[in-house]
Amino acid sequence: MGNPDWAPTQNMGHQGSDLGTVAASVRHERARQRKRKAEAVEAASTLLSLQVMPLIDNGEEHELPVDDVSLGTEVQTDFLATDISSLEERVQQLEKDNIYLRAQLQDAENRAKLSSLQEQDFKDNNSKLKFYTGLPSWQTFMALFTLITTALPRCRKLTKFEQVLMFLMKLRLNLFDDDIAYRFRVSQSTVSQNFHRMLDIFFVRTQSLIHWPSRESLRMSMPTSFRKFFHKCVIIMDCTEVFIEQPSDLLARAHVWSNYKHHSTVKFLIGITPQGSVCFVSRCWGGRATDTEITQNSNLIDRLTPGDLILADRGFFVNEYCGMAMAEVKVPPFTRGKKQLEKVDVDWSRELSGVRIHVERVIGMVKQKYTILQNRIPINLIRDESSPQATVSKIVRVACALVNLCPSVVPLE
């Protein structure tokens, strides 16, 4: 089989001849030459492609200098014109492929930056900022960021901007911790730790955003709808409830059960100024507590001064306690024991309802902006054993403070 003339030969009665063997040897030699030439062409093509292919290193492109590539002696072969044309076409095709792959790589990097929620993605996009944080503008966000940035801890996995954004996204959208972890490429435990750490920081640093204004400032900026009948009004108050997960302890379950909502809830008192800003937030109580009990055990009455007017709902029986501070409480008139209200009472009730509705609008705004208060809060966010303030109370107060950074729902005119 090693003989180039592999076919069997027989003389078949004729004189022997070596012409067939010689011809086969010639054909075999020509085939070997063609094979060597093809290998040389392929090697040269590979080297040429390496010469034009750019190297990417830290975003900079470099090209291999032609002088640095030394061709082997087996490559230095005389090429035909057709071979050179074929190599040029192949080089052009490789250049096109290189440009296409670089474009795909750039698109992948852009998508990665977009999905990581970088700071530059929010600067000129207020609608995106409002969706993820509830804040109206980038200037408002930076003012809040400046307020708390000195207390932000160093985190190896997250920047300060990402720590704040992650916390606000949890309040705003009530996302699962796993979802936030995938978005920021961190672990679920990192998300949980960041939430509790940032909640404490926001709770302390945003205390000044909820303040009791002076009587002079209230009079100067009193909306038109209050000036006729309620020009002495300093606060409009109401209680609201938030659903929570049912506790396993029977005594705790009894304290948080709400007969009004028919669910386990926590309840808190919220007060707003006539201008629509939140000026008072109580700590959270079990859903079993009444509006009067919460008002009596809060420090709201201590802030009243003689001559102040408080607007409330029918469930607040606090006239005696507010009277001790020489303040007055106005509630809608009762129909108990009467067939119908007199015309004066009807007109008064209509005027009172027209301005008292603002506190319900503010409460609705707090829950709509920060949907963590709309859904059922898990039991691990109800009580913090390491702090005298319950975790849910901190969440409520921070949400109200952030709403004060947004435009008011009460028209001034």
Side-chain angles (χ1 to χ4, degrees), residues 136-153:
S137 65
W138 176 254
Q139 290 75 15
T140 305
F141 177 86
M142 289 307 299
L144 175 65
F145 187 80
T146 304
L147 180 64
I148 64 172
T149 186
T150 55
L152 293 180

Side-chain angles (χ1 to χ4, degrees), residues 99-111:
I99 295 174
Y100 173 75
L101 292 175
R102 288 172 59 192
Q104 282 190 330
L105 179 61
Q106 186 66 32
D107 291 341
E109 292 177 353
N110 293 337
R111 287 194 299 269

Side-chain angles (χ1 to χ4, degrees), residues 222-231 233 235-237 272-276 309 311-312 330 348-362 409-410:
M222 185 69 65
T224 305
S225 57
F226 286 81
R227 293 177 181 174
K228 184 176 181 181
F229 297 101
F230 312 104
H231 61 280
C233 177
I235 185 173
I236 311 169
M237 63 182 184
I272 68 168
T273 63
Q275 291 78 9
L309 175 63
L311 304 183
K330 292 292 185 180
W348 169 258
S349 179
R350 184 182 298 110
E351 293 291 339
L352 180 59
S353 299
V355 295
R356 200 189 63 80
I357 193 67
H358 295 316
V359 68
E360 298 180 5
R361 295 175 63 192
V362 172
V409 298
V410 180

Side-chain angles (χ1 to χ4, degrees), residues 190-320:
T190 301
V191 175
S192 178
Q193 293 171 4
N194 179 78
F195 176 79
H196 290 280
R197 183 171 60 247
M198 296 301 297
L199 179 61
D200 292 335
I201 295 174
F202 269 77
F203 178 73
V204 174
R205 289 304 180 99
T206 58
Q207 293 282 345
S208 59
L209 297 179
I210 301 177
H211 69 282
W212 193 280
S214 64
R215 180 179 293 182
E216 291 74 16
S217 61
L218 288 175
R219 299 293 187 270
M220 292 178 60
S221 58
M222 185 69 65
T224 305
S225 57
F226 286 81
R227 293 177 181 174
K228 184 176 181 181
F229 297 101
F230 312 104
H231 61 280
K232 293 184 179 180
C233 177
V234 295
I235 185 173
I236 311 169
M237 63 182 184
D238 199 1
C239 285
T240 185
E241 298 181 66
V242 178
F243 288 174
I244 65 170
E245 185 180 351
Q246 188 180 59
S248 58
D249 184 75
L250 295 180
L251 182 60
R253 188 181 300 180
H255 281 300
V256 300
W257 179 257
S258 172
N259 291 326
Y260 179 68
K261 295 291 185 179
H262 301 285
H263 199 280
S264 296
T265 66
V266 291
K267 195 173 187 179
F268 60 93
L269 173 67
I270 182 172
I272 68 168
T273 63
Q275 291 78 9
S277 62
V278 180
C279 63
F280 181 82
V281 181
S282 71
R283 66 180 181 90
C284 290
W285 292 70
R288 185 180 177 179
T290 64
D291 298 347
T292 304
E293 291 174 348
I294 297 175
T295 306
Q296 292 175 5
N297 291 278
S298 66
N299 60 352
L300 172 65
I301 299 176
D302 299 335
R303 303 189 180 194
L304 299 176
T305 57
D308 287 344
L309 175 63
I310 303 99
L311 304 183
D313 200 4
R314 289 189 179 93
F316 288 86
F317 302 100
V318 293
N319 292 334
E320 296 180 0

Side-chain angles (χ1 to χ4, degrees), residues 82-126:
T82 55
D83 298 332
I84 296 176
S85 177
S86 176
L87 289 175
E88 290 176 351
E89 292 177 359
R90 182 170 177 81
V91 169
Q92 293 176 0
Q93 183 62 37
L94 290 173
E95 289 179 347
K96 293 179 180 179
D97 294 342
N98 187 22
I99 295 174
Y100 173 75
L101 292 175
R102 288 172 59 192
Q104 282 190 330
L105 179 61
Q106 186 66 32
D107 291 341
E109 292 177 353
N110 293 337
R111 287 194 299 269
K113 291 180 180 179
L114 184 62
S115 62
S116 60
L117 301 174
Q118 297 295 321
E119 181 177 351
Q120 58 269 17
D121 299 327
F122 293 89
K123 288 185 177 179
D124 300 323
N125 196 339
N126 287 336

